[in-house]
Amino acid sequence: MRFFNQINLQTPESVELEFTLAGIGNRSFALIIDYIIFGLTILLVWVLSAFLAFQLVPNLISGGFLNLLAQWIWAVQSLTTFAIYVGYFVVLETLWQGQTPGKKWTKIRVIRDNGKPERLPQAILRALLRPVDDLLFMGVFFIIFTQQEKRLGDLVAGTIVVQEETSMLTEVEISTEAEDLAVQLRIEAEIDNLLPEDFATIRDFLQRRQNIILEYQHQLSRKLAQQVREIILLDTVPEGYSNSQFLEAVYLAYQQDKIINY
């Protein structure tokens, strides 16, 4: 369901998250920044390759290999340009969880259709289809005329570009009861079984719960708590604690474990 440029995505744990679509303006600005960085990188590679070629030319002219040298330079530059073009977006979006320098600047991010972070397979598909999207501005056409503002690469990869909306996301409020329970969970539960995606789902729910209707909030917290209990091998929510307090405690225990292990 979508209102204006808002979109609701449902995670595999049946938690519904609301995002704001990035929009053609922010995406274009981010792409311009990335293309400037990419262009400067390619220019540097070409300058270096030309410098090396001229160093070799005197030796190769005497052997009659000038044309062959030009062909090799063209081939290497073409392969290098394509590798950097694809690798720039693949490597950065994978390492930076759906962001490039341009996306960081404009505060937008690529996520999967289920609300989880973009991974390597999605980044590869988006990068390989980017030349097609750039051809005759096909990507712009798809973004404008598709409901979720997806270019062809997003449609194939199953991704969507959203605003980070840092103003909407506040720090998770942890109750005193949850702090006490976190200590208990680190002893009795398998907190290490949680994946980063699981932690992100818990965090997103806790950050956005104040904007959810109370009755629906209880339903979501109960369902998410059940999913989390199965992951950390806990039979029931400890007596005397609500599902929300349990999720707060899991959130805190996970963070504490990561700090200690680090």
Side-chain angles (χ1 to χ4, degrees), residues 156-174:
V156 175
T159 56
I160 192 168
V161 185
V162 298
Q163 292 280 2
E164 287 206 277
E165 298 187 87
T166 52
S167 61
M168 293 182 59
L169 298 180
T170 59
E171 292 295 327
V172 173
E173 295 183 6
I174 304 295

Side-chain angles (χ1 to χ4, degrees), residues 5-258:
N5 61 340
Q6 300 289 322
I7 183 171
N8 294 339
L9 302 180
Q10 192 170 54
T11 71
E13 295 81 15
S14 298
V15 175
E16 194 173 71
L17 304 176
E18 184 180 71
F19 297 93
T20 299
L21 296 173
I24 186 67
N26 285 329
R27 295 182 69 167
S28 298
F29 187 36
L31 190 60
I32 290 172
I33 294 173
D34 287 325
Y35 274 179
I36 290 174
I37 297 174
F38 165 76
L40 291 175
T41 304
I42 291 300
L43 180 61
L44 177 62
V45 171
W46 286 356
V47 169
L48 289 176
S49 62
F51 174 76
L52 292 176
F54 280 117
Q55 295 296 316
L56 296 173
V57 163
N59 296 326
L60 294 177
I61 287 179
S62 59
F65 293 116
L66 184 58
N67 290 335
L68 181 61
L69 174 63
Q71 293 175 6
W72 271 103
I73 292 175
W74 181 86
V76 170
Q77 286 184 337
S78 298
L79 290 174
T80 302
T81 299
F82 180 77
I84 295 176
Y85 180 76
V86 173
Y88 175 88
F89 293 96
V90 171
V91 173
L92 291 178
E93 287 186 2
T94 301
L95 294 178
W96 291 356
Q97 297 187 330
Q99 287 190 306
T100 58
K103 291 184 177 69
K104 278 183 174 290
W105 182 268
T106 55
K107 293 181 171 55
I108 64 177
R109 182 184 301 275
V110 182
I111 61 174
R112 286 182 278 172
D113 285 341
N114 59 8
K116 292 184 179 294
E118 180 189 25
R119 289 298 187 86
L120 181 61
Q122 293 81 37
I124 291 175
L125 286 174
R126 294 184 83 252
L128 290 177
L129 287 169
R130 184 173 295 279
V132 179
D133 280 315
D134 289 347
L135 182 65
L136 300 177
F137 299 99
M138 288 183 60
V140 175
F141 175 84
F142 276 98
I143 291 173
I144 293 175
F145 292 102
T146 55
Q147 185 180 21
Q148 296 182 343
E149 299 182 0
K150 293 188 173 192
R151 65 176 177 86
L152 184 59
D154 292 314
L155 291 170
V156 175
T159 56
I160 192 168
V161 185
V162 298
Q163 292 280 2
E164 287 206 277
E165 298 187 87
T166 52
S167 61
M168 293 182 59
L169 298 180
T170 59
E171 292 295 327
V172 173
E173 295 183 6
I174 304 295
S175 62
T176 304
E177 293 82 2
E179 292 178 358
D180 295 336
L181 179 57
V183 177
Q184 178 182 340
L185 291 179
R186 289 179 57 198
I187 298 173
E188 299 178 357
E190 300 295 331
I191 299 296
D192 287 342
N193 288 352
L194 285 171
L195 297 176
E197 293 90 341
D198 302 320
F199 173 76
T201 300
I202 297 171
R203 181 196 60 212
D204 289 342
F205 168 74
L206 293 175
Q207 288 174 327
R208 299 174 188 271
R209 57 184 167 174
Q210 300 300 326
N211 298 321
I212 302 175
I213 298 174
L214 189 58
E215 181 179 356
Y216 189 41
Q217 181 187 143
H218 291 326
Q219 294 176 4
L220 288 176
S221 64
R222 181 170 61 251
K223 192 163 189 176
L224 182 56
Q226 180 181 352
Q227 296 279 349
V228 172
R229 285 194 292 102
E230 293 175 358
I231 295 174
I232 65 175
L233 306 180
L234 197 66
D235 293 333
T236 60
V237 173
E239 187 176 353
Y241 296 96
S242 67
N243 290 312
S244 288
Q245 289 172 337
F246 169 71
L247 293 172
E248 290 173 13
V250 172
Y251 170 88
L252 183 59
Y254 179 91
Q255 284 191 317
Q256 291 173 342
D257 272 2
K258 290 302 177 184

